[in-house]
Amino acid sequence: MTPRFVNERGAAMVLALGVLAVLAVLAMVVVAIVVSEKQTALSDYSADRSFYSADAATEAGVNWIRSQPIPPPIMDASSNVYLANGFTALSNDHNYKFDVQFVRKQLRPGWSVEYKDYVFDVAATGTSVQGSESKLDVNATRLYREGY
């Protein structure tokens, strides 16, 4: 009986190189997935920061309306009553701004005619360092007594 392969020298090295090549390809795939996941996580983090910054801006706008003892005067032809000069920094990586626009005034049912609901639109913008930007619009109503 004669062996099929008489000279098998180097077969283990070829097999080892094949296994190493497969492992190298798998390692490259794993690294590519990890890098992609990291970029996705950074993008999600940035989007969340800008959204919560815009949410903080809506709260600041509503608080501004609450703090007005009388109806605020209209500033321009677009019925704006408050325009932000720039962004307010919340921390070193995100900030916000808000504008308040007068929409209308209306009678409140069950109240005398001297009390009116003033309806405002708060336009809020939040940004983050990575370039994400979120915008929120909120309607707010405040009751004012006119003519006193």
Side-chain angles (χ1 to χ4, degrees):
M1 180 181 277
T2 61
R4 283 187 165 161
F5 302 104
V6 177
N7 188 3
E8 293 185 4
R9 296 181 88 185
M13 186 168 66
V14 171
L15 183 63
L17 286 175
V19 169
L20 283 175
V22 169
L23 289 175
V25 169
L26 285 174
M28 288 178 9
V29 168
V30 168
V31 167
I33 290 171
V34 168
V35 167
S36 174
E37 287 295 320
K38 185 175 179 179
Q39 289 173 344
T40 301
L42 181 62
S43 177
D44 287 347
Y45 172 78
S46 179
D48 287 346
R49 296 293 276 196
S50 66
F51 172 77
Y52 288 121
S53 297
D55 185 49
T58 60
E59 292 294 327
V62 169
N63 285 333
W64 181 85
I65 293 169
R66 280 188 199 145
S67 69
Q68 303 304 306
I70 60 173
I74 294 175
M75 299 170 52
D76 58 18
S78 297
S79 298
N80 288 310
V81 294
Y82 179 86
L83 288 173
N85 292 330
F87 283 93
T88 301
L90 290 170
S91 73
N92 60 354
D93 68 343
H94 62 288
N95 48 37
Y96 72 81
K97 74 175 184 173
F98 67 91
D99 298 325
V100 180
Q101 185 178 37
F102 171 75
V103 178
R104 68 181 175 280
K105 63 181 174 178
Q106 59 196 23
L107 291 174
R108 180 176 277 193
W111 290 71
S112 68
V113 293
E114 60 193 18
Y115 289 95
K116 303 263 187 335
D117 275 331
Y118 280 67
V119 180
F120 300 98
D121 185 30
V122 178
T125 303
T127 62
S128 71
V129 171
Q130 289 84 11
S132 290
E133 183 175 286
S134 296
K135 295 186 178 200
L136 294 175
D137 288 324
V138 174
N139 289 327
T141 303
R142 167 84 195 271
L143 182 67
Y144 288 106
R145 182 177 177 189
E146 294 181 332
Y148 71 97

